[in-house]
């Protein structure tokens, strides 16, 4: 079946540094990938839609310059949290659009802790 | 816009009890409906789906029927196990648009 690999699964970084999270579709091509953020005890909030070869589409209220998204190939999208602060600590999950009438295939998520 | 409403929980059940997690939705068109499960510390896994009215999705003993007349997609399982303890998300998708999630319902099954 379709597999999406997300790396790293957890990361701790110092305030002010940048962190890159990778999302790879292992056995299918994904022209579109999605990045979600999940706060404790809350649902997933869509941050942005990543389109291969073009700029990402950000949801309202999400800072483009803070959450940089690059979708350079049909199997890889990256999310870079720039100048991270403690309030950016969260669980970030990517998903890839497998063509057809499916739900998306999700990565295993990345727990980011900014200290 | 589209929305999904599900019971917040937590839901605590004894092993082998019957489970129902309610989910209702609003959508402008004819969405596909999904249940996802998230085990502690992990990402989401698709549990089951239904793409049109009266379809029944099923997997691992879980079932949900797409009810257009009541705009519902309730999740049921006849006999839960401790290993079913997780957070369950109801979701919908219209065409190739983004997925809209419910708030998630935490299920805790005690021996």
């Amino acid at each position: 079946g379709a597999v999406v690999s997300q790396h790293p699964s957890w990361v701790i970084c110092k305030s002010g540094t940048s962190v890159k999270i990778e999302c790879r579709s292992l056995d299918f091509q994904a022209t579109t990938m999605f990045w979600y953020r999940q706060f404790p005890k809350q649902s997933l909030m869509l941050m942005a839609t990543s389109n291969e070869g073009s700029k990402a589409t950000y949801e309202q209220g999400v800072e483009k310059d803070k959450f940089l998204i690059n979708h350079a190939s049909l199997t890889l999208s990256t999310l870079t949290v720039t100048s991270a602060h403690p309030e950016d600590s969260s669980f970030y999950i990517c998903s890839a659009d497998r063509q057809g009438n499916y739900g998306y295939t999700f990565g295993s998520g990345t727990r980011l802790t900014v200290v | 816009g589209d929305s999904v409403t599900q019971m917040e929980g937590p839901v605590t059940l004894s092993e082998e009890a019957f489970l129902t997690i309610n989910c209702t939705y609003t959508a402008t068109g004819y969405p596909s409906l999904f249940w996802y499960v998230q085990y502690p510390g992990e990402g989401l896994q698709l549990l089951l789906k239904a793409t049109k009215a009266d379809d029944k999705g099923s997997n691992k003993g879980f079932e949900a029927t797409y009810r257009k007349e009541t705009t519902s997609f309730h999740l049921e399982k006849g006999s839960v196990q401790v290993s079913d303890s997780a957070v369950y998300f109801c979701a919908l998708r219209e065409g190739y648009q983004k997925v809209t999630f419910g708030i998630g319902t935490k299920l805790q099954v005690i021996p």
Side-chain angles (χ1 to χ4, degrees), chain A residues 47-91:
Chain A
M47 298 175 65
T49 302
S50 170
N51 303 297
E52 187 268 335
S54 64
K55 291 183 178 180
T57 303
Y58 290 82
E59 295 297 301
Q60 193 170 12
V62 177
E63 298 177 60
K64 302 177 182 181
D65 295 333
K66 181 164 190 62
F67 299 100
L68 300 180
I69 291 172
N70 184 288
H71 194 155
S73 76
L74 287 171
T75 59
L76 174 64
S77 176
T78 60
L79 168 69
T80 301
V81 182
T82 62
S83 186
H85 292 284
E87 57 265 30
D88 298 324
S89 299
S90 191
F91 193 58

Side-chain angles (χ1 to χ4, degrees), chain A residues 28-53:
Chain A
F28 66 100
Q29 294 183 330
T31 55
T32 304
M33 291 186 176
F34 302 85
W35 288 95
Y36 293 83
R37 181 173 179 177
Q38 185 180 30
F39 292 97
K41 300 182 181 181
Q42 294 189 29
S43 189
L44 283 75
M45 300 301 294
L46 179 65
M47 298 175 65
T49 302
S50 170
N51 303 297
E52 187 268 335

Side-chain angles (χ1 to χ4, degrees), chain B:
Chain B
D2 296 346
S3 66
V4 176
T5 302
Q6 65 180 106
M7 53 196 299
E8 189 170 335
V11 174
T12 302
L13 295 173
S14 297
E15 205 165 21
E16 300 183 1
F18 185 86
L19 167 71
T20 300
I21 301 178
N22 290 336
C23 171
T24 57
Y25 68 90
T26 58
T28 53
Y30 301 95
S32 295
L33 302 175
F34 308 90
W35 277 100
Y36 286 89
V37 57
Q38 184 180 32
Y39 297 101
E42 299 184 14
L44 272 68
Q45 300 175 27
L46 178 63
L47 180 61
L48 54 85
K49 66 180 176 74
T51 58
K52 61 182 187 298
D54 299 325
D55 270 2
K56 177 185 283 187
S58 60
N59 185 25
K60 301 180 181 179
F62 291 89
E63 293 184 340
T65 301
Y66 190 144
R67 300 288 188 197
K68 189 171 183 293
E69 63 277 12
T70 55
T71 60
S72 64
F73 193 55
H74 304 322
L75 182 68
E76 296 181 336
K77 186 174 185 181
S79 176
V80 294
Q81 305 300 313
V82 173
S83 57
D84 294 327
S85 299
V87 180
Y88 292 83
F89 292 92
C90 185
L92 69 80
R93 179 183 185 185
E94 290 200 73
Y96 292 103
Q97 298 181 36
K98 66 182 183 183
V99 177
T100 300
F101 290 91
I103 195 170
T105 301
K106 183 175 181 178
L107 170 65
Q108 184 176 11
V109 181
I110 54 178

